[in-house]
Amino acid sequence: QVQLVESGGGLVQAGGSLRLSCAASGRTSGNYHMGWFRQAPGKEREFVTAITWSGGGILYADSVKGRFTISRDNAKNRMYLQMNSLKPEDTAIYYCTANSNYYNVRSRGNWSYWGQGTQVTVSS
């Protein structure tokens, strides 16, 4: 069992930056792959990015590629999402997620553990 807690959300102007953090606890000795999803009002939860346990494999949604950077520090049991050049359409609740498998990572059903989310709001 893994517990995940997100932090770092807030309100920024378009073009600004935020850095989200996800703290993991529980059975973090395992090799868990991790990722970020987001959900805007009235929309389904969508894939943002994922990273393998070693950090050697990374995937991004086309909508954030070139602007967002995912990273992790396994010694600290933390994962990060650096968000630059933010756009109003990035406004959403951002969720940290984890799983022992790295298949179909763009599908929310692939992931076993979820945080409660942190709000990111980007103003025009």
Side-chain angles (χ1 to χ4, degrees):
Q1 185 71 30
V2 176
Q3 293 79 48
L4 305 172
V5 179
E6 305 93 336
S7 62
L11 173 64
V12 298
Q13 292 184 330
S17 298
L18 282 175
R19 190 188 191 195
L20 306 184
S21 179
C22 176
S25 61
R27 292 192 174 186
T28 55
S29 61
N31 296 330
Y32 286 99
H33 311 295
M34 302 185 74
W36 293 92
F37 280 67
R38 67 186 183 185
Q39 188 166 18
K43 305 293 184 180
E44 293 187 347
R45 194 170 300 186
E46 68 173 355
F47 171 79
V48 177
T49 181
I51 186 170
T52 59
W53 69 269
S54 67
I58 295 174
L59 293 174
Y60 293 102
D62 290 341
S63 59
V64 306
K65 193 175 298 181
R67 300 187 298 118
F68 291 10
T69 302
I70 188 173
S71 62
R72 65 190 298 168
D73 186 339
N74 290 342
K76 298 181 179 179
N77 294 322
R78 284 183 173 85
M79 178 182 64
Y80 306 96
L81 182 64
Q82 179 66 47
M83 304 185 295
N84 299 325
S85 301
L86 283 163
K87 305 175 181 179
E89 50 262 46
D90 294 318
T91 296
I93 300 174
Y94 283 71
Y95 296 90
C96 174
T97 189
N99 201 355
S100 59
N101 295 319
Y102 201 73
Y103 298 99
N104 301 315
V105 297
R106 292 178 175 86
S107 174
R108 60 183 295 182
N110 179 71
W111 300 92
S112 297
Y113 308 104
W114 296 88
Q116 292 189 341
T118 184
Q119 177 71 50
V120 172
T121 303
V122 184
S123 62
S124 301

